[in-house]
């Protein structure tokens, strides 16, 4: 048997066990086998990490932009290396049953994002303009904020960790979180990693956010936990950036390219079994193309395999509990009158679920309202474009939407009327650049001016003319 990997803490440049010696374990949702263990940070460890980040901040903030950029480029090269990827793939397969195509996506996206983030140093610019006082000058500078607490989910570990940590870093902040970054030459304390057991996470998080040195929280995950962090941050008047869930609609109009649309819906809805914030969860289709669209979707789905992560397109969901929750949502929608076009509303293993398609799901049901985070498509039929827009907007989530039509001029107008952080015309939903509604607060992933504004403060210096 292979050695079970162990994730230590990273504090002040040193990898170490928890001060209490506590650990927690992660089991494969597919086999139930022990996948890894990690140090379970204590309150003392979190304090030590914050202090290390606080000490490292002034030097890191003063580090030349080019040096920050070089470190991120080096980390990108490590993540692109065969040796690193071999280790990471084993880990992702074991801990979260990640199929090969999603592993490849992580490996493609990680280095690319990191290089894009490194180039953000070009956006760290201020402004100068004449003051209202004749002869005076105003200098607006963008300055790093300090220690940032970043919390990330499990579902796309490489790009999400990198974004959550590298964006604050390139802006000159220090962050609490990781190996490739540390090994690329970040000075001690600039990046710290404090994994926590499920039981201790809420209390430790409240302590970290309350610490005076922590200036901002950045969170990617569910709206349920996002609210908890936002409340903790609000208690101390600290800002937070939230990147939350979605219920992405794909709107298919009568003049759409059905073959292209169906392929994009299958890849958008079933990639990593739908466990992606941008997953296509709702299909809103004009009546005249319902039948060809559904049969094309079914035909593409019939080529997907469900089983072990190494050899299948769809594998175990995050946990048995998440699979049970999705099945309960499907059954509730069915009992409320939805027609099941594909699937048997049952699991195929403890955490395994085959693709499902439901037609006519009532808006009052959880399957319409909540993120399923599983391989389930909800199809709704409409008779007009106005009805399609109204239905696309009938969700509290507004992360991303797709729109399929050959009429590009009309598409621009419809896209403007869809309330969503991003609208992708004739593309999959798996691409988002902004967040609205329950999908988040202040999030953006354009790796440019907006992100720089998120992780820097505006400081104004005025130069007054001599008094005559
Ligand atoms: P989650 O909200 O349950 O957990 C996210 C992270 O928060 C985890 O690291 C978890 O350990 C931690 N956490 C849980 N309770 C906490 C608490 N009380 N205090 C502090 N931290 C706590 O989400 P998840 O199941 O890990 O991920 C799936 C969710 O993430 C989905 O809703 C998905 O849409 C969303 N997501 C959003 C984006 C985006 O960019 N918008 C990207 C990926 C995932």
């Amino acid at each position: 048997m292979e050695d079970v990997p162990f994730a230590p803490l990273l504090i002040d440049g040193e990898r170490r066990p928890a001060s209490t010696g506590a650990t927690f374990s992660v089991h494969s949702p597919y086999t139930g086998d022990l996948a890894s263990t990690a140090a379970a940070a204590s309150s003392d460890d979190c304090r030590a990490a914050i202090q290390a980040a606080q000490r490292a901040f002034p030097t890191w903030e003063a580090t030349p932009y080019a040096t920050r950029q070089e470190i991120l480029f080096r980390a990108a090269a490590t993540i692109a290396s065969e040796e690193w990827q071999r280790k990471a793939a084993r880990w992702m397969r074991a801990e979260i049953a990640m199929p090969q195509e999603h592993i490849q996506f992580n490996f493609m996206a990680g280095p690319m994002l990191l290089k894009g983030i490194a180039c953000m140093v070009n956006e760290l610019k201020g402004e100068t303009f004449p003051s209202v006082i004749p002869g005076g000058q105003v200098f607006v500078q963008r300055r790093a904020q300090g220690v940032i607490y970043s919390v990330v989910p499990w579902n796309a570990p490489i790009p999400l960790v990198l974004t959550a940590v590298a964006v604050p870093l390139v802006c000159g902040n220090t962050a609490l979180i990781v190996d490739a970054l540390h090994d690329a030459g970040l000075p001690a304390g600039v990046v710290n990693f404090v994994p926590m057991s499920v039981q201790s996470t809420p209390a430790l998080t409240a302590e970290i956010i309350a610490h005076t040195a922590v200036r901002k929280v950045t969170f990617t995950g569910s709206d349920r936990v996002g609210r908890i962090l936002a409340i903790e941050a609000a208690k101390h008047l600290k800002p937070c950036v939230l990147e939350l869930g979605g219920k992405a609609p794909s709107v298919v109009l009568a003049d759409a390219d059905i073959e292209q649309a169906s392929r994009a819906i299958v890849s958008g809805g079933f990639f990593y079994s739908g466990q992606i914030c941008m997953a296509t969860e709702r299909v809103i289709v004009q009546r005249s193309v319902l039948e060809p669209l559904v049969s094309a979707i079914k035909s593409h789905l019939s080529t997907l395999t469900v089983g072990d992560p190494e050899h299948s397109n769809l594998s175990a969901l995050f946990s048995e509990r998440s699979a049970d929750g999705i099945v309960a949502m499907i059954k509730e929608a069915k009992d409320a009158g939805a027609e099941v076009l594909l699937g048997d509303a049952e699991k195929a293993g403890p955490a395994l679920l085959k693709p499902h398609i439901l037609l006519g799901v009532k808006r009052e049901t959880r399957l319409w309202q909540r993120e399923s985070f599983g391989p389930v498509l909800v199809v709704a039929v409409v008779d007009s474009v106005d009805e399609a827009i109204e239905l696309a907007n009938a969700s509290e989530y507004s992360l991303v939407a797709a729109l399929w039509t050959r009429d590009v001029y009309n598409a621009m107008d419809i896209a403007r009327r869809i309330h969503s952080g991003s609208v992708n015309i004739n593309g999959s939903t798996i691409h988002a650049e902004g967040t609205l509604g329950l999908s988040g607060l202040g999030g953006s992933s354009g790796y440019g001016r907006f992100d720089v504004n998120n992780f820097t403060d505006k400081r104004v210096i005025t130069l007054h003319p001599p008094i005559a």
Side-chain angles (χ1 to χ4, degrees), residues 149 151-155 160 201-202 205 219-222 224-225 228-229 243-246 277 371 373 399 439:
Y149 178 41
V151 182
V152 289
W154 50 271
N155 67 328
L160 292 176
T201 298
T205 288
F219 172 78
T220 309
S222 64
R224 183 186 69 78
V225 178
I228 297 173
L229 268 77
E243 304 259 10
L244 308 176
C277 55
E371 192 177 34
F373 226 53
L399 183 62
S439 294

Side-chain angles (χ1 to χ4, degrees), residues 74-144:
R74 262 203 305 276
T78 303
I79 291 168
S81 72
E82 225 174 278
E83 188 194 340
W84 193 91
Q85 294 193 348
R86 205 175 315 112
K87 208 165 96 184
R90 224 175 27 235
W91 209 323
M92 291 192 280
R93 218 175 277 127
E95 281 192 350
I96 45 176
M98 191 181 276
Q100 194 55 27
E101 59 188 0
H102 191 29
I103 291 178
Q104 286 310 329
F105 168 79
N106 271 260
F107 291 160
M108 181 274 297
M112 197 176 74
L113 288 176
L114 210 41
K115 288 184 210 163
I117 293 167
C119 293
M120 270 174 55
V121 293
N122 301 322
E123 299 288 341
L124 287 163
K125 285 182 277 204
E127 275 180 73
T128 307
F129 48 87
S131 144
V132 289
I133 303 164
Q137 285 292 320
V138 179
F139 301 87
V140 182
Q141 302 180 339
R142 302 281 348 168
R143 293 276 302 279

Side-chain angles (χ1 to χ4, degrees), residues 61-73:
E61 195 201 9
T63 299
Y65 290 177
T67 309
R68 295 184 205 170
Q69 198 168 36
E70 275 166 25
I71 292 174
L72 294 193
F73 278 132

Side-chain angles (χ1 to χ4, degrees), residues 398-452:
S398 303
L399 183 62
V400 58
L403 171 63
W404 288 89
T405 171
R406 287 189 168 95
D407 183 344
V408 175
Y409 292 107
N410 210 11
M412 288 304 289
D413 181 53
I414 297 170
R416 191 184 53 77
R417 293 166 62 200
I418 294 177
H419 187 256
S420 182
S422 299
V423 179
N424 302 331
I425 300 171
N426 295 332
S428 150
T429 57
I430 309 282
H431 181 84
E433 302 266 352
T435 51
L436 300 175
L438 268 197
S439 294
L441 210 63
S444 86
S445 42
Y447 312 113
R449 189 160 46 85
F450 301 117
D451 292 289
V452 164

Side-chain angles (χ1 to χ4, degrees), residues 248-266 280-297 377-392 401-407 410-411 414 418 423-429:
S250 188
V251 175
V252 183
L253 301 185
D255 68 344
D257 181 327
I258 297 301
E259 178 55 23
Q260 293 272 326
S262 61
R263 283 184 189 280
I265 288 167
V266 169
T280 309
E281 293 227 358
R282 297 178 293 148
V283 175
I284 297 165
V285 53
Q286 280 197 301
R287 194 173 300 279
S288 61
V289 286
L290 170 69
E291 197 283 318
L293 181 72
V294 170
S295 69
I297 292 173
L377 273 188
V378 165
V379 179
V381 193
V382 291
D383 288 305
S384 70
V385 171
D386 285 346
E387 202 187 334
I389 296 170
E390 195 272 326
L391 217 48
L403 171 63
W404 288 89
T405 171
R406 287 189 168 95
D407 183 344
N410 210 11
I414 297 170
I418 294 177
V423 179
N424 302 331
I425 300 171
N426 295 332
S428 150
T429 57

Side-chain angles (χ1 to χ4, degrees), residues 160-199:
L160 292 176
V161 169
L162 292 178
T163 310
V165 178
V167 174
L169 288 187
V170 84
C171 291
N173 303 285
T174 51
L176 297 182
I177 281 219
V178 191
D179 268 5
L181 288 166
H182 169 71
D183 294 346
L186 283 175
V190 168
V191 69
N192 301 275
F193 177 51
V194 281
M196 297 166 191
S197 69
V198 172
Q199 298 75 14

